[in-house]
Structures are given as C-alpha cells and as structure tokens.
Amino acid sequence: MKTNIIDATKINEAAICIKKGGLVVFPTETVYGLGADAFNDDAIDGIYIAKSRPQDNPLIVHISSMEQLNKLVKNISDDAKVLMDKFWPGPLTIIFEKSDLVSDKITAGLSTVAVRFPSNKIAQELISLSQTPIAAPSANLSGSPSPTKAEDVIDDLNGRVDYIIKDSQCEVGLESTVLDMSDNNCVILRPGAITLEMIKEYVGYVSLDKGLISADIVPKCPGLKYTHYSPKADVIVVQGTKENIKNYINSKLNSELDIGVLTYKGGTYKDAKLVLDAGDNMHDYAYNLFSHLRTFDKHNIKTIYVEFSLEDGMGLAVRNRLYKSAGHMIIEV
Ligand code: TXA
Ligand code: MG
C-alpha cells in the first residue's frame, strides 16, 4: 500500500481517510498512535494486521469531546469525573465499563473499554474532523519501542498504513498512564506521566496493579504481559549507586565489541562503541528512552548497558518500560 506522509496542513485528507475506514498515524503528547474509526470493525482489523499485534491485546479509544465519551461507556463514577476534570486532555487513559456500541474487536472481548482524551492539538483536530472516536495503539510494529518521532513511525509502518501525519518529537515520550476505574476501582495498570502521587491527591485509594510490583504475577493490562519496547539489541539494566554502576559497566566493556551504554546524568565510557545520555531527570529519561533505544539499533549495537536508579514520580514509568525492554535482565550493584 502507498503511504501518504503529510504534515498537519493536510489533516483534512487524513480525516476523510479515517471516515472511509483507512489507517492514519498521528502524533499525540505521549507517543505516535496508529488510528482507525472506532466504530468500523474492518478498520480495526486493519490496525492489528498493520502492527502484527496479537488479537488478545485491547485498544485505547481516543476522543476529542465528552459527548464521545458518553457513547462509549456505561458508568462514570464521581471519582473518575474528578480525575477527568483534572487531567484531561492529557496522558491519562481511564478504563470504564463499556457500552454496547463498543465492539469486541476493540476490547478483545473484555467488558471494559480504555478511553483517552489526548492534549496534542493535531490529535484532537483529527478526531474532531473525522467525527468519530479513534481507536489507536502505539504506532510501532508489535514488540518494538513505541515511536516518539515521525522518522521512527516511517521506519516501522511505511507501506502498511494510508497516512502518516508528521509532527515534532512527542513531549512525554512514554505511553499514557492506564488507570482502571471500572467496578469502583482505582488501580494503575500501566504507569505513565500522570503519576501515582498526582492521582493520590484527588483519589486517596488509588493503588498499583500487583503485576507491576511482582514479576511473578500476570499484569492485568493485557499488553504488559508481552516482551515489549525491545530494541534488537539485548538490554541490561544496571542499578545501584552511580559509582558501582560505573565500575560494573566498565568491567564489561571491550572496545572490540558492539556494546553501547545509556547513561543517566552524563558520564563517559571510553571503551563503549556508542554512549547516549538519558538526561538529567526522569522526565528527560522518559522523553529520550525509546528514541535512544532505536538509535542503538541503527548503529548495530548488540548489547546495551543501561544506568538506572529509581526515583519517585515518573521514575516508576521509566522503570516499567526499562524492565520490559530488558526482559527482566536487571543487575543490582
Ligand atoms: O499513550 C498512549 O496510551 C498511546 C497513544 C497512542 O495514545 N497508546 C498506547 O496504546 O500506548 P497501546 O495499544 O500500545 O497500549 C494500550 C495498553 C495495552 O497495554 C492494553 O493491554 C491496555 O492498554 N488496555 C487497553 N484496553 C484495556 C482494557 N479494557 N483493560 C485493561 N487494559 C487495557
Ligand atoms: Mg504499544
């Protein structure tokens, strides 16, 4: 299939494509999304095919108005209303009991539906012009890191979708927080930029899904059970004090080998083939992580050692994605 790569000035064409059942990649504040009309089952099938995504992994439905929400869900709790008021539009996905209008193809047979109101203006405009909610997973091939730059989307999906709308690098860099509020719950299934601490200010009983805390429990968010976000290189997370991390990684380096290092708050490794820095705080780390993992692959790096130490807030989301990309190869030093 021919993919039309456009910028936002041609967004009308992309909206017409959505209405006709086509596939459009669009920017959001978290990562790029691969969208289709949420009320068109054939178009939804197309998403799974384009990404090679397992059928048992449900999709998030993106909206640009509260009227659209009312069509998709059955009950909205008072606490959910407070959180929507505070954090929408933005990087928070909320899971509700689904209405009868929502197809099993979106929810993978679950009785709940995940809904998100993105803050990115191009995303909002695409949904409004298409006059329908848009179902959209991250716009990567299944298993690889979510794309945060237009060029990453083009690498993965050129020839597999009808349109790609280019924009600048996504400002958050990690996927939205997924919060289950169906069944009078308030459980974080996937950590993101709207953090546990931020939600706790408004809903005191919020908790973390046990699958996020223990490696032995299957996560409730179906997508999190797959090895995910992985570059082609092996990822090894090294955590502890800065000095111990440096000593450990240096002991593994050999200038003959294709080894890369992802540093945090800077640092040099003279025997590494490629050193990239994740930045100075966890927001930088989130912004850079997926794009740097892809850069290591482009340089044919075979093993990436990653400096990490846990911090509150956004640190939880960064750790979650790092551990997934490392397939749980984590060294404590
Ligand atoms: O930031 C984001 O959320 C991006 C942008 C494009 O909006 N989207 C995204 O979608 O990350 P995706 O499909 O890559 O991840 C959605 C996650 C998956 O882990 C999926 O299992 C989970 O949300 N999910 C979707 N519906 C669910 C439901 N009803 N119950 C539990 N988990 C659900
Ligand atoms: Mg994804």
Side-chain angles (χ1 to χ4, degrees):
M1 146 188 333
K2 180 184 178 313
T3 300
N4 298 288
I5 300 172
I6 60 171
D7 64 23
T9 57
K10 292 194 175 162
I11 196 167
N12 263 313
E13 283 182 29
I16 291 167
C17 175
I18 292 275
K19 284 190 194 172
K20 287 185 179 159
L23 299 178
V24 174
V25 174
F26 60 99
T28 83
E29 67 279 19
T30 57
V31 301
Y32 279 79
L34 163 53
D37 179 352
F39 293 128
N40 180 334
D41 274 3
D42 290 339
I44 302 299
D45 281 340
I47 291 179
Y48 285 93
I49 293 166
K51 277 193 65 132
S52 307
R53 181 180 175 102
Q55 293 279 351
D56 66 345
N57 192 4
L59 304 176
I60 296 173
V61 180
H62 296 68
I63 58 171
S64 62
S65 73
M66 293 314 254
E67 292 77 64
Q68 288 176 329
L69 177 68
N70 295 330
K71 278 198 195 163
L72 297 168
V73 307
K74 266 191 188 148
N75 298 314
I76 305 177
S77 69
D78 287 343
D79 286 335
K81 284 181 190 145
V82 170
L83 295 181
M84 289 187 292
D85 196 45
K86 217 54 224 172
F87 299 116
W88 278 7
L92 174 68
T93 295
I94 302 182
I95 294 178
F96 301 92
E97 203 183 323
K98 82 174 189 75
S99 77
D100 296 338
L101 291 176
V102 178
S103 149
D104 281 346
K105 297 215 181 244
I106 286 180
T107 65
L110 296 173
S111 60
T112 54
V113 61
V115 185
R116 169 157 129 72
F117 190 151
S119 61
N120 179 289
K121 294 295 173 222
I122 299 173
Q124 288 183 4
E125 207 184 332
L126 180 70
I127 301 164
S128 303
L129 290 171
S130 306
Q131 297 169 313
T132 180
I134 293 183
S138 50
N140 51 291
L141 286 174
S142 195
S144 63
S146 296
T148 56
K149 292 177 176 169
E151 65 198 65
D152 300 339
V153 173
I154 294 168
D155 284 347
D156 276 20
L157 295 180
N158 196 10
R160 290 172 164 259
V161 297
D162 297 295
Y163 279 86
I164 295 174
I165 307 176
K166 289 198 294 182
D167 190 23
S168 48
Q169 185 167 351
C170 302
E171 64 193 70
V172 175
L174 297 183
E175 308 84 348
S176 61
T177 305
V178 176
L179 185 68
D180 187 358
M181 299 205 75
S182 63
D183 212 13
N184 292 323
N185 264 332
C186 188
V187 183
I188 294 180
L189 305 186
R190 179 175 73 180
I194 305 300
T195 62
L196 178 74
E197 292 87 342
M198 289 159 77
I199 296 169
K200 203 169 240 166
E201 275 192 45
Y202 303 97
V203 179
Y205 59 89
V206 59
S207 63
L208 287 174
D209 179 39
K210 294 200 176 52
L212 291 172
I213 303 165
S214 158
D216 304 328
I217 298 173
V218 177
K220 202 177 164 207
C221 206
L224 292 187
K225 72 176 186 275
Y226 300 104
T227 313
H228 229 102
Y229 319 119
S230 345
K232 293 189 191 79
D234 289 332
V235 176
I236 301 172
V237 178
V238 187
Q239 55 186 37
T241 63
K242 186 90 179 162
E243 199 191 334
N244 288 352
I245 292 173
K246 290 257 173 286
N247 291 338
Y248 179 85
I249 295 178
N250 268 315
S251 76
K252 298 288 171 190
L253 293 180
N254 173 340
S255 54
E256 311 275 287
L257 299 177
D258 294 327
I259 301 180
V261 182
L262 180 63
T263 56
Y264 178 46
K265 299 184 181 171
T268 47
Y269 286 97
K270 65 176 177 30
D271 286 332
K273 193 164 172 208
L274 179 65
V275 179
L276 297 174
D277 189 51
D280 290 332
N281 56 57
M282 284 295 150
H283 286 275
D284 292 352
Y285 210 132
Y287 179 80
N288 289 314
L289 177 62
F290 288 151
S291 124
H292 282 355
L293 290 179
R294 284 175 178 261
T295 304
F296 283 115
D297 273 352
K298 284 193 175 144
H299 286 80
N300 290 317
I301 296 295
K302 300 285 179 283
T303 307
I304 309 166
Y305 285 94
V306 175
E307 292 187 351
F308 182 70
S309 55
L310 184 61
E311 292 172 24
D312 287 349
M314 192 72 168
L316 196 64
V318 172
R319 183 179 69 172
N320 170 259
R321 305 314 192 276
L322 269 180
Y323 281 16
K324 299 292 298 178
S325 68
H328 291 273
M329 287 257 280
I330 297 129
I331 315 274
E332 292 278 352
V333 291

